[in-house]
Amino acid sequence: MKYRELAKILKVEIDKGKYRDAGKLPTEPELMEQFGATRYCVRNAIALLAELGDVYPVQGSGMFVRENRREGCLNINGTRGMTSEFPGHSVSSKLIKLEQREAGADSVRLKCAADAKVYSVSRLRLLDDEPFAIEYALYLKEFVPYLSEEIASGSIYAYIREDLGLSTGFADKLIYARELDHGQADLLGLSAGDPALVVEDDAYLASGRMFNAGTVYYHYKKATFFNFADLK
Amino acid sequence: MKYRELAKILKVEIDKGKYRDAGKLPTEPELMEQFGATRYCVRNAIALLAELGDVYPVQGSGMFVRENRREGCLNINGTRGMTSEFPGHSVSSKLIKLEQREAGADSVRLKCAADAKVYSVSRLRLLDDEPFAIEYALYLKEFVPYLSEEIASGSIYAYIREDLGLSTGFADKLIYARELDHGQADLLGLSAGDPALVVEDDAYLASGRMFNAGTVYYHYKKATFFNFADLK
DNA sequence: GAGTGGTCTAGACCACGCA
DNA sequence: GCGTGGTCTAGACCACTCG
């Protein structure tokens, strides 16, 4: 039994509410026996769940299941894209622009050569067919050699991971608030000067190479982000 | 050598730029020898640094030091309070309100009894003597038995941890944008209707008990949050 | 192929909570 | 005092990168 497998199993059971009555997971020895796993495996699996905020350990007491207020919120960790964040809702995109060009001034942010080829994608993202966010994104052609209108209208991240087989590593985000300009406001069905929640996202491959830079303007009445933080 | 000690040592060395030329840390065997530590210790220490985004591991290659854009940004993980986020700047607070009362309607958010005693604190937080944020916070008296104007004018978190000796565990945050009302805008030196970056923060002790709920309205031209996310 | 980090085993003892 | 999770040891083998 691999610890990532065990983590997935436990995560499903937690989400199904299996441990809700007890409020806590079985103890380490119990889990070891139930899954025929070593303590190494059990502890690593639980560490993954704790990182995600599904569970918290109390020394001498147990592994407690966490209640949290994340319904309808975007998790700010784990950029798995909007598509996977709203189960039961329709997430779609209206392509505004898709072009291939040289990085130019964007080479600073993308940490690449000025003449490196990039795809530039602008999309209006819709939640249940209502305007939700405007996304401006750049992808280095070196890593994402092909993008079509069809792909860009769907989940680009799913394409990158599943079809291109790239393994993503980590991401930096900057979050701030700004006023919308006229063009943005029109797209979102708001007025110029209204607030926008802005997220700049620099995404890296597991190799440490940056491959994607995005800036997203979220509808301030519809978008709320959720974050789980360790205070240790 | 404990792994938390080693992590601190390495963190200091990284911040001093010791590994900047190489771009990476010494290998695990090298660190084991340098610090007379076991592999368990070395790997746990590095895992802590990786969680904070200071370093990323590439299998078969090494542990690379990360460059990031966090200068002048508030780290959204690790609520160690504003005070520790702006070294070289003056962080102060102007107390607006400090009262003790029953939780009442706030008992839902605080997950406590309606008649539980709470301290309610409102502060205008200043960065270099300029208005930076408005903070509304509640502290359960059960865990924070005493708060004075003097304490509330300083770093409440430092007081809770160092003086009261409470061990904090984790926190949930909601992040969104809203329009400022007249009173808030006046305090921040902005206009009503201007954007605010709002953070709701529910903080828990290591025991899993919630002890603090806060809502902070940040000056949208001055506050930017930084987040590091693992995409695995 | 040599060297890197990742996974895993099979133990031991420690620190803390709770009754 | 017992049961919980936390730390630690001393190994082994696997998966991956890179020259």
Side-chain angles (χ1 to χ4, degrees), chain B residues 13-47:
Chain B
E13 292 192 339
I14 289 168
D15 290 343
K16 282 197 305 193
K18 178 163 177 180
Y19 306 113
R20 199 164 293 149
D21 292 337
K24 50 155 84 176
L25 264 51
T27 65
E28 291 179 357
E30 283 166 356
L31 288 170
M32 287 166 69
E33 206 199 325
Q34 277 180 38
F35 293 95
T38 62
R39 197 173 175 212
Y40 170 89
C41 172
V42 167
R43 284 185 62 78
N44 275 279
I46 288 173

Side-chain angles (χ1 to χ4, degrees), chain A residues 3-232:
Chain A
Y3 73 86
R4 291 176 195 280
E5 293 173 39
L6 179 53
K8 262 179 219 166
I9 295 172
L10 290 174
K11 170 101 176 126
V12 169
E13 292 192 340
I14 289 168
D15 290 343
K16 281 197 304 193
K18 178 162 178 181
Y19 306 114
R20 198 165 294 151
D21 292 337
K24 49 155 88 176
L25 263 50
T27 65
E28 291 180 358
E30 284 166 355
L31 288 172
M32 286 166 67
E33 207 198 325
Q34 276 180 39
F35 294 95
T38 63
R39 196 172 176 213
Y40 171 90
C41 173
V42 167
R43 284 184 61 77
N44 274 280
I46 288 173
L48 288 182
L49 299 178
E51 239 176 87
L52 297 174
D54 291 311
V55 119
Y56 63 90
V58 179
Q59 189 172 4
S61 187
M63 315 286 325
F64 295 83
V65 177
R66 258 165 61 66
E67 306 291 337
N68 43 39
R69 319 185 273 161
R70 60 176 60 167
E71 307 80 32
C73 298
L74 286 155
N75 191 336
I76 212 164
N77 302 311
T79 313
R80 287 163 260 289
M82 257 180 71
T83 315
S84 54
E85 292 280 349
F86 293 107
H89 293 263
S90 97
V91 174
S92 56
S93 298
K94 197 180 133 204
L95 193 59
I96 298 170
K97 190 187 72 177
L98 169 64
E99 64 171 22
Q100 200 184 140
R101 59 169 170 83
E102 293 191 350
D106 293 314
S107 61
V108 179
R109 183 167 169 205
L110 277 167
K111 299 172 185 170
C112 66
D115 64 351
K117 289 281 203 314
V118 300
Y119 279 105
S120 171
V121 185
S122 302
R123 305 192 288 178
L124 178 65
R125 311 223 58 186
L126 308 164
L127 178 64
D128 294 329
D129 300 317
E130 295 280 323
F132 186 78
I134 305 165
E135 176 193 81
Y136 309 96
L138 299 171
Y139 298 88
L140 271 174
K141 195 166 188 307
E142 177 184 356
F143 303 112
V144 184
Y146 177 72
L147 265 188
S148 67
E149 293 204 2
E150 191 196 343
I151 296 165
S153 299
S155 171
I156 296 180
Y157 261 72
Y159 165 70
I160 285 174
R161 264 198 271 239
E162 286 150 36
D163 298 317
L164 297 181
L166 293 178
S167 58
T168 51
F170 49 88
D172 281 341
K173 286 194 176 66
L174 295 181
I175 303 118
Y176 50 90
R178 282 295 178 277
E179 294 175 296
L180 289 169
D181 66 27
H182 282 94
Q184 295 168 335
D186 281 349
L187 284 167
L188 290 175
L190 292 168
S191 309
D194 277 352
L197 186 60
V198 187
V199 177
E200 291 186 19
D201 195 322
D202 293 349
Y204 297 76
L205 298 173
S207 65
R209 289 290 311 271
M210 187 165 165
F211 74 102
N212 166 34
T215 304
V216 186
Y217 291 73
Y218 289 91
H219 192 299
Y220 79 108
K221 289 182 177 168
K222 296 179 181 169
T224 299
F225 282 88
F226 173 84
N227 175 257
F228 166 72
D230 231 322
L231 300 184
K232 279 170 221 155

Side-chain angles (χ1 to χ4, degrees), chain B residues 90-101:
Chain B
S90 98
V91 174
S92 57
S93 298
K94 199 181 133 201
L95 193 59
I96 299 170
K97 189 186 74 178
L98 170 64
E99 66 172 21
Q100 199 183 144
R101 59 170 170 83

